[in-house]
Amino acid sequence: MKTEDTSHRDPSATAAPRLWRPVAGAITAAAIVGSGFAVLTATAASAMDVLQPEVAVTAEPAPALDLGLDEHGHAHAAESAPAAEASAAADSPDAETAAPAAEHGADHGTDPQYSTAYLERNWKPTAYDSCTAELHASYTALGPDGKIYPTWHPAQVIDPATGELCTFGHEHGADPATSNIYDWVVSYLTPEGVEGKTGLPFGYASEALMTYGAEHEGMAMRHEDNAGHKVFVANGVQLIDEERDWVLDPAGKIVTCDFLIKQHQGSWSPDATSNNAHEAIYASRCSDGTEIISTTLSKFGNSNEFHKNCGANDRVSTLGSNLPAGYGGIRLIPDADCVQLHATGDDASLWGMYELWKGENLITDKAGNVLAHFDPWFGVRNPSRYYDAANSTETSNGISRPVDLAWGANAAKAFPWTTVKDAAGLHWQDPASPFDGAQRDFYLNQNSVSAASTGTVYTDPYGTNGQDSEFTGSIRQHLVPGTATSAATLSTQKFDTSADFGKNNGVHAPN
């Protein structure tokens, strides 16, 4: 089965409405769900199609970095439980954007409340980064609770204090302002009567979980790193059903939708090998009237396990997470066995490193009735970790670094490892490493709201226990049914096949 990228979007360009044809743009969901590495490599674009031409790299001594990690990327004991993970924040490649003055959100009013995500999980520079923590802290958004949160920013900006270009070393994906529904989503997420700078709040669901958990004994807390928040945009998507026919509204017109998604997806630490819940903002608005704005801790399969990204996608048991079980979805992550088969020697392929997180999100009422269903997937083509049981202990999940496969007796003889073959010992965080987690794609699947939905429901941070009125730790969800999507089973559509949000902008692992 051949699939094509339906977006052909330059991530540095402003997004414009895009059109798709059913056969070219759709992927049969069942085929991908049941696929192993062999099918995945047959359907995906080649590594040479999605990456830059080879450029030789010479090793230089790595700066001394203090990221609070041990040699395998494990967080030190100061990390909150369950172990939180770090990733990166991004902008469009090659963009040079003037940064706002570093006022720490002062434009939101006097005596603001700061979220845990802002105070404790915000970014701090490494020796590779030239922007300051204060400049990063100036990018803020108000959450629905009136607290200040970190938000999207470019990967590199002009520092107003120096007039010079500086880099943050991480990226947050697509610019959310390129979405057709950005203003609508932000207006919904911002408290009424507030004027001034607003945006997508990173960490709001985790903040709500703290409040909710205070009244629910035994509820595990979940705080994720700043860099792992990633934004995905798709405008003017024409929907296709499972038979690869257009989804039509009652007037016979093709249903089109705009999507704006913020998903936390860290691909550098052991976190996702055991933790299944990762914060998501999912928003869509369709021509048939369907509307969704949802914030949850989205679950990708079960905690304390992941599945291999090759062969039969065997389950791998891990440990350390206290997060609740999922009700579908899966995290396909490369492990040492898959890497040995598909990312070493003459048989090496970048697709041997491909991670695919398949979400499954159900917004339900107090009785368990489904009010909305959406299940986007998120792929990472160049993660900076893979699971390695040889590095695990009785209390931790071990990982190794893909860049290290470029050297040794059975070195990977394929792009991009060959670009660093003469740089033995290159630090995994070095910007010269081709493994920075910035080459990502995503898939859209189901997008439906039940006719039983009244438009607004308040749920717990996991999207369950929906009620008509607010309760402690609840999150307001906007769910409006449409005339066509509720009854349609949609085909999978893939986007951003060639996107690289870490190109020439200082991005490096951990991202």
Side-chain angles (χ1 to χ4, degrees):
M1 179 180 67
K2 180 180 179 182
T3 64
E4 299 178 17
D5 174 27
T6 55
S7 62
H8 305 293
R9 178 163 65 91
D10 179 354
S12 66
T14 300
R18 294 164 285 174
L19 302 178
W20 292 265
R21 300 305 303 173
V23 174
I27 306 170
T28 303
I32 295 182
V33 171
S35 69
F37 178 77
V39 175
L40 192 61
T41 54
T43 62
S46 71
M48 292 303 293
D49 290 335
V50 300
L51 297 174
Q52 299 303 307
E54 297 188 11
V55 178
V57 175
T58 302
E60 296 181 1
L65 304 177
D66 181 8
L67 294 178
L69 308 173
D70 66 19
E71 61 181 341
H72 300 304
H74 298 147
H76 291 169
E79 202 67 59
S80 58
E85 173 209 72
S87 190
D91 106 322
S92 305
D94 307 317
E96 296 186 10
T97 305
E103 296 177 353
H104 300 279
D107 54 347
H108 288 301
T110 59
D111 193 27
Q113 287 184 294
Y114 293 96
S115 64
T116 301
Y118 184 90
L119 293 175
E120 300 180 13
R121 305 300 295 173
N122 227 328
W123 173 85
K124 291 180 174 58
T126 73
Y128 293 117
D129 311 317
S130 53
C131 291
T132 64
E134 290 75 20
L135 181 56
H136 184 273
S138 68
Y139 289 91
T140 58
L142 270 185
D145 55 1
K147 295 182 180 181
I148 288 180
Y149 291 84
T151 193
W152 186 93
H153 61 80
Q156 58 184 8
V157 299
I158 301 298
D159 187 340
T162 65
E164 301 292 332
L165 181 70
C166 71
T167 60
F168 290 109
H170 64 271
E171 48 78 24
H172 290 300
D175 183 346
T178 63
S179 170
N180 290 343
I181 59 175
Y182 174 73
D183 291 339
W184 173 65
V185 173
V186 168
S187 176
Y188 182 83
L189 294 175
T190 303
E192 292 184 9
V194 173
E195 296 181 359
K197 185 175 65 178
T198 56
L200 301 179
F202 293 173
Y204 169 57
S206 294
E207 193 82 5
L209 183 63
M210 290 176 62
T211 306
Y212 183 79
E215 294 192 357
H216 295 78
E217 186 176 355
M219 180 71 65
M221 295 299 99
R222 181 71 166 137
H223 293 292
E224 299 178 288
D225 75 298
N226 176 268
H229 296 284
K230 308 301 186 186
V231 175
F232 304 84
V233 173
N235 291 321
V237 178
Q238 295 178 306
L239 300 187
I240 305 162
D241 67 19
E242 60 183 339
E243 301 299 328
R244 302 204 178 178
D245 293 324
W246 298 119
V247 175
L248 304 178
D249 65 18
K253 295 182 178 180
I254 298 173
V255 176
T256 62
C257 302
D258 297 320
F259 296 87
L260 174 59
I261 305 170
K262 193 286 301 177
Q263 178 64 57
H264 192 282
Q265 185 180 30
S267 58
W268 71 273
S269 82
D271 181 85
T273 64
S274 60
N275 289 319
N276 61 334
H278 304 268
E279 186 185 79
I281 299 173
Y282 179 94
S284 67
R285 186 167 64 184
C286 303
S287 60
D288 75 329
T290 302
E291 294 183 355
I292 301 174
I293 303 177
S294 173
T295 301
T296 61
L297 285 167
S298 177
K299 290 182 285 188
F300 296 81
N302 293 323
S303 56
N304 293 318
E305 68 176 40
F306 69 92
H307 288 74
K308 297 184 178 186
N309 74 334
C310 70
N313 303 138
D314 293 335
R315 175 182 175 274
V316 177
S317 296
T318 55
L319 52 81
S321 179
N322 296 317
L323 297 174
Y327 40 75
I330 195 173
R331 303 184 310 287
L332 299 176
I333 296 175
D335 76 333
D337 292 337
C338 292
V339 165
Q340 183 64 33
L341 290 171
H342 302 294
T344 58
D346 294 331
D347 295 326
S349 166
L350 182 60
W351 291 104
M353 302 307 308
Y354 189 62
E355 287 196 17
L356 185 59
W357 296 18
K358 300 179 180 181
E360 183 69 22
N361 300 277
L362 300 175
I363 307 300
T364 60
D365 63 17
K366 199 170 184 178
N369 299 308
V370 176
L371 301 177
H373 176 209
F374 46 92
D375 54 350
W377 303 345
F378 304 94
V380 183
R381 300 188 295 278
N382 65 337
S384 60
R385 60 101 197 278
Y386 63 90
Y387 178 77
D388 191 344
N391 291 330
S392 296
T393 70
E394 293 182 356
T395 59
S396 65
N397 302 305
I399 58 173
S400 288
R401 300 299 174 187
V403 68
D404 293 339
L405 301 172
W407 319 294
N410 195 30
K413 296 180 175 61
F415 184 79
W417 289 279
T418 50
T419 66
V420 293
K421 63 184 175 62
D422 297 324
L426 184 73
H427 198 279
W428 67 275
Q429 299 166 21
D430 195 301
S433 171
F435 296 94
D436 59 13
Q439 296 170 2
R440 294 187 305 279
D441 44 56
F442 68 106
Y443 306 71
L444 296 174
N445 298 290
Q446 306 316 306
N447 182 70
S448 64
V449 178
S450 166
S453 175
T454 58
T456 298
V457 64
Y458 297 87
T459 72
D460 62 36
Y462 287 101
T464 61
N465 193 34
Q467 303 172 35
D468 293 334
S469 56
E470 296 181 73
F471 54 91
T472 302
S474 65
I475 295 178
R476 183 174 62 135
Q477 316 284 0
H478 177 73
L479 309 172
V480 177
T483 58
T485 59
S486 296
T489 300
L490 303 180
S491 278
T492 300
Q493 297 192 59
K494 183 180 182 181
F495 304 84
D496 286 356
T497 294
S498 59
D500 183 351
F501 296 101
K503 180 182 176 183
N504 301 327
N505 56 7
V507 168
H508 60 84
N511 173 42

